[in-house]
Amino acid sequence: MKGFFIILSLLITVKLFAAQKAAYSDSAAINTQRLFTRIDNLNNTAYRIYLNSPDSARRLAEAALLLSEKNNYLLGKGRSYYNIGLIYWSQSYYTISLFYLNSALNNLPKHSNLYLSDCFNALGRTYADLGNYNRALINLNKSLGLAGNDIGRLAEVFSEKSYVYCALKNYPQAIADALHALALHSGIKATGDIAILNARLAGIYKSKGDLKKALYYDNIALKMSRVIGNKRLRAKIYVEYAIINNSLNKYNEAINYAQKGIALADSIGLIDAQKDGFKSLVRSFEAKNDLKQALAYQKRYSSLNDSISNASKLKTAKLIENYHDLSAKISGIKLMEVSDRENKAKIKAQTNLIIFLSASLVVLIALLFVTWYLYKQKKLLSTKLEQQHKALLDQKVLIEAQTVNLQSVNGLKDKLLAVIGHDLRTPVANMSNIIELFNDEYLSATEISDLMREIRPIIKGAELTLSNLTEWAGSQIKGKNVNSINIDVFLLGVEMEQTFTHHLQQKNIEFINSAFPGQSVLADENHIKVILRNLISNAIKFTNNSGRITLSTAMEDNSIIVSVTDTGKGMSPEEVEKLFSLNTHFSNSGTSGERGTGIGLLLCKELVELNGGKLSVSSAISKGSTFYFNLPLVGAYA
């Protein structure tokens, strides 16, 4: 009888455990559904306000992203990334927008065709804003294929395609797509989208030159923008009014609308509209011969450009900070998820263990199982500690290598500062002495003019030193952009001859430009100018009076060899060997005592390599030197 009661109590205990577990599962499912609904509401609100309150919308989308990550809600994650991408697009951060939109594609469930359609549509618009119209049309066509029979999404795709075709100057197709989108939006009474489409039609007709129709559609868009509260659209329409009125010679109306547009754009941080507004004001006041006002607004336009450059750096740093902060939060959530899963696994194991022990009373087997489990955990922990120790050792080696590199760079910095300080002291001191003598009336204006002509080469040398330092420092930054275009080396040679006319005349040096006219190479024009300026400056420095400097080109496979040859004092093989090394570079005095930092050739080497070439030198003492480098030819000449 005693055994019967024991068995009965065990069966009741097992049943109670099972009932409790089922109730917990039902409660968890309800809570999860409520949480998913909350995430959806956050994303819906962020999407609804992102045009008027982008910062608030971004905070809501980030909160939705963190909750989705924590609860493994794929649709919520995808929509959160999509909303963040839209927000950065609205603030003209197109590259960052592409990153988040692609993250949305990677997280949205494969069967969520409509949300995927939205994402491809946004990608298409962003690529269009970046000027990559081919990629834009590819993504918009993908969006069209996924939109199915959803009228709103179909209308949005045709709306964005009209924008692309307008940029490609295919105005008939742009107008046809815009009108089709307008008809679709009108059918579902999408007021906000209808307002944007009217503004788009105005832009198409303005680009086409039909200002009457442009004003007609802009008037409709302006009225609707007030109804829907779209400040971004309203600011752009005011600026469009200003541009159109300028074209119609209605300058007072243009000034009024431009000022309205600038004020509204400034209140919401829409920089592009502010810039266009200032340009329109400059044109209006120039047309009215009010040059004072035109100059004032031109200065404000230039100041805005400068502030954009500075603000861009600060905003970029802030965006990076926001990105890392968001990434850190996501990583923390993932760690919490891992910990939560481990805790749940432990609870489940313990529950199963209790049920197993209560049902079977196999205490010995249970003890053996626990002992084995703990041993396995200990072994895993030991392996993990060994891996961490190895990672710490690797990190130590890396830190030591970085320390050696930093010491080398610091030594080079000290050397450069010492040389540059010495080279800049002389021209600054000379200028200071001349100014003091002039102020004390020891020198006449004629004597000052003569002294200025004599000191001009020294000042030019100091200017080249500063220019080289700035360019070289910039070239040390990883990821430096190269803006390659078609360049005629012969024309650059003509420009260099004009730049160094005074230096050449001082030493009676003949400059020969034997580069082949019309040969186009593919390179960054500013980089090649810096390279030629340094090489020709060095050639003048080390060439005696009545010498000769030759700029020439030669074909080799699909590239051109550009060379600068002088009849100067040349270099020994040992000096040539040290010339391009960061740690052994040097600088000798010129034939007339000219001084330099030695950084010019290091800068030339960096810039040549950035443009896909290699800088070399051949030299002999008392016979002169030839510096030459290769650049790729443009396809037609190759």
Side-chain angles (χ1 to χ4, degrees), residues 45 52 86 215 365 381 415 441 473 495 517 557 603 627 637:
T45 305
N52 293 321
L86 283 183
L215 282 172
I365 296 175
L381 181 61
K415 180 179 178 182
E441 298 183 353
E495 183 180 335
D557 296 330
L603 174 61
F627 288 84
Y637 296 97

Side-chain angles (χ1 to χ4, degrees), residues 281-504:
L281 284 171
V282 171
R283 180 182 172 188
S284 298
F285 283 111
E286 284 179 347
K288 295 181 66 177
N289 290 323
D290 190 346
L291 299 183
K292 182 178 179 181
Q293 285 288 355
L295 181 59
Y297 281 111
Q298 180 63 46
K299 287 181 179 179
R300 292 185 66 181
Y301 175 77
S302 301
S303 175
L304 181 61
N305 272 338
D306 293 339
S307 67
I308 289 170
S309 178
N310 295 329
S312 177
K313 296 176 183 178
L314 296 174
K315 287 182 179 179
T316 300
K318 182 63 178 176
L319 291 175
I320 293 172
E321 180 182 345
N322 290 340
Y323 169 74
H324 286 296
D325 182 53
L326 184 59
S327 297
K329 290 179 180 178
I330 292 174
S331 298
I333 289 173
K334 289 182 178 178
L335 290 174
M336 290 175 62
E337 287 177 356
V338 171
S339 176
D340 186 57
R341 284 197 296 270
E342 290 176 351
N343 290 333
K344 287 180 180 179
K346 289 179 181 178
I347 293 172
K348 184 178 180 180
Q350 291 173 356
T351 302
N352 291 335
L353 181 62
I354 292 172
I355 294 174
F356 175 76
L357 291 173
S358 301
S360 61
L361 299 177
V362 188
V363 178
L364 181 60
I365 296 175
L367 289 174
L368 289 174
F369 175 80
V370 171
T371 303
W372 171 81
Y373 178 80
L374 293 175
Y375 172 77
K376 184 177 179 181
Q377 292 297 315
K378 182 180 179 181
K379 189 175 181 180
L380 288 173
L381 181 61
S382 177
T383 303
K384 185 176 181 180
L385 288 174
E386 289 177 1
Q387 292 173 348
Q388 291 177 344
H389 181 67
K390 183 178 181 300
L392 288 173
L393 291 176
D394 292 341
Q395 189 175 16
K396 180 183 177 183
V397 172
L398 177 61
I399 292 172
E400 290 174 350
Q402 291 175 340
T403 301
V404 172
N405 185 55
L406 286 173
Q407 289 173 347
S408 173
V409 172
N410 191 53
L412 176 61
K413 176 209 67 174
D414 294 340
K415 180 179 178 182
L416 287 175
L417 289 176
V419 174
I420 292 165
H422 180 273
D423 286 354
L424 295 180
R425 189 183 299 116
T426 299
V428 172
N430 288 339
M431 288 295 294
S432 178
N433 290 334
I434 291 171
I435 292 170
E436 288 180 5
L437 289 172
F438 181 74
N439 287 336
D440 295 337
E441 298 183 353
Y442 288 113
L443 296 175
S444 65
T446 303
E447 290 171 326
I448 287 290
S449 178
D450 294 337
L451 285 173
M452 285 300 178
R453 280 195 294 271
E454 292 178 7
I455 203 174
R456 186 184 176 204
I458 300 175
I459 298 299
K460 284 291 183 180
E463 183 182 355
L464 183 59
T465 296
L466 287 174
S467 176
N468 284 340
L469 177 63
T470 303
E471 290 287 344
W472 182 81
S475 69
Q476 302 307 302
I477 302 173
K478 299 300 180 183
K480 185 173 177 67
N481 292 329
V482 177
N483 300 314
S484 297
I485 60 172
N486 297 348
I487 301 172
D488 190 328
V489 178
F490 174 79
L491 295 179
L492 291 185
V494 173
E495 183 180 335
M496 291 299 111
E497 183 177 5
Q498 294 172 351
T499 300
F500 291 100
T501 297
H502 182 74
H503 297 72
L504 294 167

